[in-house]
Amino acid sequence: GESVGLHLPTLSVQEGDNSIINCAYSNSASDYFIWYKQESGKGPQFIIDIRSNMDKRQGQRVTVLLNKTVKHLSLQIAATQPGDSAVYFCAETPSGNTPLVFGKGTRLSVIA
Amino acid sequence: GAGVSQSPRYKVTKRGQDVALRCDPISGHVSLYWYRQALGQGPEFLTYFNYEAQQDKSGLPNDRFSAERPEGSISTLTIQRTEQRDSAMYRCASSLGTDLGYTFGSGTRLTVV
């Protein structure tokens, strides 16, 4: 399949450890945030979202943290597995009819 | 359908030719988006529709690019007089509404030679 993210920042994590992927966003008006996972040869896959009236949201093995003061978003993955290896993108939008704007992405590499 | 379907999966065309890329969104999804993704980059917005109405085309690079969604379902992105710089992965996504997560298709890899 095609290779995604040839020159992206890379985070290498041992299997079983927790991963933290960070994202800085620029638009202070952004109201809705999403993390996407993209495996090689596939389209971005929705992981978890959060709105600006929250600072934390948990899913299955994933947690998203939002710090609006410093315009920072993070994705925490618990007990990282080889299947978590992918490129992760944050995306943001103000509420309303404004499409998502994607960040640059981080490659997560899980070492078995 | 169960997911967002894009066709063709790969398209190789000669410079100067027109190409049409097709997107079949998830049934019932109101919003449909076109993005372009270069290697090593996040998806870059091109245009989007709510039902059949094109809401925003600010991301289209120039007037060689156009898109339509005449019946509020399938959409076509057309690139006229293709140039090598148009080579990229073109991704379509759909959602129930503009303020909800998008589901992406597998994309069309366009190569202009």
Side-chain angles (χ1 to χ4, degrees):
Chain A
E2 71 165 16
S3 176
V4 176
L6 293 178
H7 304 290
L8 291 172
T10 298
L11 174 66
S12 295
V13 177
Q14 289 284 341
E15 181 179 0
D17 287 352
N18 297 334
S19 303
I20 300 176
I21 300 171
N22 296 303
C23 176
Y25 63 94
S26 57
N27 189 350
S28 57
S30 287
D31 181 59
Y32 181 51
F33 305 85
I34 306 178
W35 279 101
Y36 281 90
K37 172 186 180 183
Q38 188 170 22
E39 297 174 281
S40 185
K42 297 183 179 180
Q45 177 186 4
F46 176 95
I47 302 174
I48 191 168
D49 61 358
I50 189 169
R51 297 193 183 274
S52 62
N53 60 351
M54 302 173 69
D55 53 20
K56 179 179 180 179
R57 189 162 188 228
Q58 289 184 292
Q60 187 176 13
R61 282 202 309 119
V62 295
T63 301
V64 55
L65 298 177
L66 174 63
N67 185 331
K68 296 181 289 294
T69 302
V70 296
K71 292 187 284 187
H72 184 267
L73 194 68
S74 68
L75 177 70
Q76 301 178 358
I77 305 174
T80 312
Q81 302 169 358
D84 296 327
S85 293
V87 176
Y88 290 80
F89 293 100
C90 63
E92 58 174 301
T93 181
S95 58
N97 290 328
T98 307
L100 286 173
V101 175
F102 284 78
K104 293 188 184 301
T106 298
R107 175 184 296 284
L108 176 64
S109 179
V110 181
I111 304 165
Chain B
V4 178
S5 178
Q6 291 186 247
S7 61
R9 185 72 176 91
Y10 300 94
K11 178 69 177 178
V12 180
T13 190
K14 291 185 177 180
R15 184 165 49 94
Q17 296 293 307
D18 298 351
V19 294
L21 312 181
R22 173 185 165 122
C23 174
D24 194 348
I26 292 173
S27 179
H29 275 197
V30 169
S31 303
L32 183 148
Y33 307 83
W34 283 100
Y35 282 78
R36 181 167 68 176
Q37 186 173 22
L39 283 176
Q41 302 291 325
E44 176 188 10
F45 170 75
L46 296 176
T47 185
Y48 91 96
F49 296 81
N50 281 343
Y51 300 102
E52 72 283 357
Q54 190 170 23
Q55 299 291 325
D56 184 345
K57 56 181 181 179
S58 62
L60 296 177
N62 50 61
D63 60 8
R64 295 186 296 106
F65 287 72
S66 63
E68 63 175 9
R69 193 187 185 197
E71 298 179 2
S73 179
I74 293 170
S75 177
T76 303
L77 177 69
T78 301
I79 308 173
Q80 295 179 309
R81 305 181 301 281
T82 52
E83 301 177 4
Q84 285 190 321
R85 59 178 171 159
D86 300 334
S87 296
M89 174 67 80
Y90 289 83
R91 298 202 183 272
C92 176
S94 70
S95 68
L96 283 169
T98 53
D99 218 17
L100 299 169
Y102 306 173
T103 300
F104 280 86
S106 295
T108 294
R109 163 62 68 185
L110 175 66
T111 303
V112 183
V113 297

